[in-house]
Amino acid sequence: MKEPTLLDNVFERFLRSTQVFRNREVLRHDYIPGNLPHREEQIRCLGEIVAPVLKGSRCSNVFVYGKTGTGKTAVIKYVLNRLADKAREFGAPVKICYVNCRLAGTEYRIYSSLCNAIGVKVPFTGLALGEVFDRLKAGLDSRKLLLIVILDEIDALIKMRGDMLLYELTRINEALHYSRAAIVGISNDLRFKEFLDPRVLSSLSEEEILFRPYDATELRDILWDRARVAFCDGVLVDGTVDLCAALAAAEHGDARRVLDLLRVAGELAEREGSNFVSEEHIRKAEKRIEHDRIVETLRNLTLHSKFVLCSVYLLRKAKVNYAITGDIYNIYSELCDQLELVPLTQRRVSSLVNELDVIGLLNTRVVSMGRYGRTKKIRLSIARSLIKKTFATDDRLGRLISYAPRCLAEISSGRS
DNA sequence: TGTCCACTGGAACGTACGGCTT
DNA sequence: AAGCCGTACGTTCCAGTGGACA
């Protein structure tokens, strides 16, 4: 008989523990529920816009915008899935193609997704953009289809590549004789319209639908809807759902975030072997999500940004109240020397400090110290322990975390 | 009131690289 | 395969800045 391993024990405990989730998939971002509370108006509006395709006419282009987690993608997928069902029922030649522009990345890949959706084969690469577009038009016309193209995160594409693709797509019907295409553009950025050519804008925005953020009451309804399916009966203690909703409402009414919060809280309860999810679990989940976000951000920094952050860390460790650009640059250069790397210029390091400020790892403020010049006061805005823990696992940075810079004594004598 | 410090941050430019295009 | 192009990353240069200090 084999001895049970550590992992066997983990699995055993999991299987024996009381069940928290009935169906945790319901809490994932990509799950499309059968009911979308507080989006009835948008559903009806989009439904009315796309309905003409059931009678063989082209529908208007639609421009949908709203912040992340306001239900744009879910509503559109929901409505167009239903439309596709109805179209099959009535034998209408409708084809729907969903493309996430940010994930697709290039115009070529977007065209090639559209080609694949209507059954036109194109190589992964190698063709001129114009050629792929021509094949799309030819393929579309020969199949006599009503194509609805959903371009999600369209703002990401425009910012990266300009609006050429949208210009071509909004004019595609001029080149078609037997088919018609309509575009549903989805944008997270409300100012995105400013980037568009007026001709593209007027064509794309034949109809517009706005998704405003959910408030706490609406988030609570959404959450209850999902929670009833996701969790076993009696698992959610009174007040947990309300707390989740309140926390997320305070941060721009993002429904995705609230679902994450509840899922992670449930997982924490599950691991503890608890048979209910309490407010305590929600608080822990919030900390866990924030912790994971910071660790992920730290890991993904470039080497030099890590060095800059490490310099601020070392200053803070030496009890220096605040750092200024010059100090940080001195320590940073010393760290580079240690690893035999050529340091970047102070100008560049100053930009890196700004970037670290923008992503919330540093807190900076431009100050004038009179005769002693104008500079920037820089502080850490995350816990020192988090940096230590994350960088300790890195070969090179692990050494630097415990390094004592020579210039530190001079700095700390002047400013502790 | 003018000087001076220690930068800030904009602009122009160079280089490397990945991916598109022919 | 090779050229082209856009982008990211970085450098160099420099005008501008706010307040202590003489």
Side-chain angles (χ1 to χ4, degrees), chain A residues 297-316:
Chain A
T297 314
L298 287 174
R299 288 213 180 102
N300 289 330
L301 292 176
T302 59
L303 189 61
H304 287 282
S305 292
K306 284 178 181 167
F307 284 5
V308 172
L309 203 60
C310 194
S311 308
V312 188
Y313 166 86
L314 291 174
L315 277 164
R316 186 70 206 115

Side-chain angles (χ1 to χ4, degrees), chain A residues 353-384:
Chain A
V353 167
N354 285 344
E355 284 166 23
L356 291 170
D357 184 13
V358 169
I359 56 178
L361 298 179
L362 291 181
N363 192 324
T364 75
R365 190 163 54 93
V366 177
V367 289
S368 178
M369 304 202 290
R371 190 153 185 72
Y372 306 102
R374 190 166 175 262
T375 182
K376 216 172 220 170
K377 278 189 183 176
I378 300 154
R379 287 172 199 271
L380 280 180
S381 39
I382 54 171
R384 215 155 34 98

